[in-house]
Amino acid sequence: MKKNIIIAQAKSLINEENNLYANLANLSALFKEYLPDTNWVGFYLVDFENKNLVLGPFQGKVACVRIPFNKGVCGKCYTDKKTIYVENVHKFPGHIACDSASNSELVIPILDKDKVVALLDIDSVKFNRFSEEEINSWTNIVEEIFKDFKIKK
């Protein structure tokens, strides 16, 4: 994986733009380019007022608009404040099937001062799509990109 190249490209995309949705749209498109065998790559933003996750920019088929904090893989990622990888989503209790073609899922929290403000959600049609090395690399990529770029609450 070209982790340093992805980080450099991502930072150059969002470096001089302050619009959150424009930046997340470009990042979802960029990440999709580097993620073969994925059918959905996008963001969920934390809606503190309504106590749920709301759909942000993405690449893929239509998606669930709102996800309760305690539901599905995204809800678990929000609650646990750590990367969650599910090799087979059909065996995950409470999985939310927005796209029935998805078989594995990787969700990475975006933190601001130890508070989850958004999630990167990646779905694949393949079972066991991600290796441990890829999971660690994508977690590091997200941490590096969002350490300076703040998502306003």
Side-chain angles (χ1 to χ4, degrees):
M1 172 183 288
K2 304 166 185 165
K3 185 167 84 170
N4 292 335
I5 293 171
I6 296 169
I7 291 168
Q9 287 180 328
K11 284 186 171 189
S12 72
L13 282 172
I14 64 176
N15 186 34
E16 294 188 23
E17 178 55 58
N18 292 322
N19 185 279
L20 174 64
Y21 294 98
N23 285 326
L24 294 182
N26 267 336
L27 289 174
S28 64
L30 176 70
F31 295 165
K32 183 79 169 89
E33 291 291 318
Y34 282 102
L35 287 160
D37 301 318
T38 57
N39 57 318
W40 201 92
V41 177
F43 294 92
Y44 277 92
L45 304 171
V46 176
D47 181 344
F48 294 103
E49 184 177 323
N50 291 300
K51 296 182 174 66
N52 59 31
L53 304 164
V54 64
L55 181 64
F58 68 92
Q59 299 285 311
K61 292 184 178 182
V62 297
C64 301
V65 175
R66 294 204 177 257
I67 298 174
F69 285 158
N70 60 347
K71 299 286 184 191
V73 181
C74 288
K76 180 160 182 55
C77 179
Y78 171 81
T79 301
D80 293 355
K81 296 183 182 180
K82 66 179 184 179
T83 298
I84 303 292
Y85 175 54
V86 180
E87 297 172 349
N88 180 348
V89 296
H90 307 290
K91 293 183 178 179
F92 186 86
H95 174 254
I96 301 168
C98 297
D99 180 353
S100 61
S102 294
N103 289 311
S104 63
E105 185 172 5
L106 174 63
V107 185
I108 303 166
I110 299 168
L111 301 170
D112 182 11
K113 297 178 184 148
D114 200 40
K115 190 175 201 177
V116 178
V117 293
L119 307 171
L120 172 62
D121 185 12
I122 306 166
D123 292 357
S124 176
V125 295
K126 292 179 83 173
F127 293 98
N128 305 307
R129 161 61 184 82
F130 288 93
S131 68
E132 189 173 326
E133 180 184 341
E134 285 179 302
I135 294 165
N136 292 333
S137 290
W138 279 99
T139 299
N140 293 144
I141 287 167
V142 168
E143 288 170 355
E144 181 65 27
I145 291 168
F146 288 98
K147 74 179 183 182
D148 297 322
F149 179 79
K150 300 300 179 200
I151 295 179
K152 295 174 184 154
K153 299 175 224 42

